[in-house]
Amino acid sequence: MKKLIEGVLRFQNEVYPQHRELYQDLATTQSPRWLLITCSDSRVVPSLIAQVGPGEIFICRNVGNIVPAHGEVSGGVAATIEYAVQLLGVLHIVVCGHSDCGAMRAVLHPENVAELPAVTRWIAYADRARAVVLETHPNAPESQKLEVLIQENVLAQLDNLRTLPSVAAKLRAGTLGIHGWTYDIQSGGFLAWDQDRGRWRPVQELAEPSGDAAA
Ligand SMILES: [Zn+2]
């Protein structure tokens, strides 16, 4: 615990004083514009990779960045999304998968987590993505299967997201955008799913003048 406590003390003594006003403004209110749904993996550090500060991004994390479809389970993920959409009024939801995802590896090889009943039940929500990969890439090398699975899982979770009543209503009203991204830990690269073109594109293309980046 020593390193963790030292970190907290460094935050208190060095970081907090530099941003005292911001923290005081945020003490009783928040109005994040984005909800990020991503994996619990320690190598995915949202505020670092998105370069956002306190109060800017609402985060929902779980093993495998999974969103159970409406009615499948009434748990923390659905509650977090409903809160962000209905109460905080986030403008965009990004589901972000990542390279070398242990959860996705377990989806490909459930036998490796057979002794972990909670994980086994949870990653079953990625069965759809697994089926797609096994059908479309039956003979692909393991690394490619994993890469495709990570992308297909994001797409499957985007579809699940659309089944949540709060999300469906805002999408219909045109007041919410949902986006699928993947993050490559080794290169720092991001791919974004282009729904119109039906393909993954480097996220920097969205930032170009002809891109479709919004708020
Ligand atoms: Zn992961």
Side-chain angles (χ1 to χ4, degrees), residues 7-204:
V8 168
L9 294 178
R10 199 159 57 245
F11 167 75
Q12 287 180 333
N13 297 327
E14 296 171 26
V15 180
Y16 177 88
Q18 292 172 24
H19 305 281
R20 190 182 303 274
E21 231 170 86
L22 171 65
Y23 287 110
Q24 283 172 359
D25 287 345
L26 290 172
T28 55
T29 184
Q30 63 166 331
S31 52
R33 285 146 76 181
W34 309 286
L35 165 64
L36 177 69
I37 300 169
T38 193
C39 186
S40 301
D41 194 292
S42 64
R43 297 164 295 178
V44 180
V45 185
S47 58
L48 186 66
I49 58 182
Q51 289 293 293
V52 292
E56 292 193 89
I57 193 163
F58 205 69
I59 300 172
C60 177
R61 305 189 73 153
N62 63 66
V63 171
N65 39 271
I66 282 166
V67 180
H70 179 59
E72 283 183 331
V73 61
S74 184
V77 175
T80 303
I81 295 167
E82 189 176 81
Y83 189 91
V85 169
Q86 291 288 104
L87 211 72
L88 299 175
V90 295
L91 301 174
H92 296 275
I93 301 177
V94 178
V95 177
C96 188
H98 69 95
S99 62
D100 195 48
C101 182
M104 293 302 107
R105 213 183 283 284
V107 169
L108 280 182
H109 297 285
E111 67 277 9
N112 292 348
V113 292
E115 302 297 313
L116 306 176
V119 172
T120 297
R121 280 195 299 274
W122 184 248
I123 62 173
Y125 291 116
D127 276 351
R128 174 186 142 182
R130 178 173 191 265
V132 169
V133 172
L134 296 184
E135 182 69 25
T136 58
H137 294 74
N139 302 314
E142 184 73 13
S143 60
Q144 191 186 356
K145 273 187 189 164
L146 182 63
E147 190 183 335
V148 177
L149 178 65
I150 288 162
Q151 295 179 343
E152 287 294 333
N153 179 55
V154 168
L155 300 185
Q157 306 314 328
L158 283 180
D159 282 345
N160 288 348
L161 202 50
R162 294 186 184 96
T163 70
L164 303 181
S166 58
V167 172
K170 299 276 184 188
L171 284 174
R172 189 75 171 163
T175 52
L176 179 71
I178 63 174
H179 315 269
W181 288 10
T182 62
Y183 166 53
D184 183 72
I185 293 168
Q186 189 173 3
S187 69
F190 282 83
L191 293 178
W193 174 247
D194 185 329
Q195 182 72 36
D196 296 334
R197 295 179 173 87
R199 65 180 175 88
W200 292 88
R201 299 166 62 195
V203 84
Q204 51 267 38

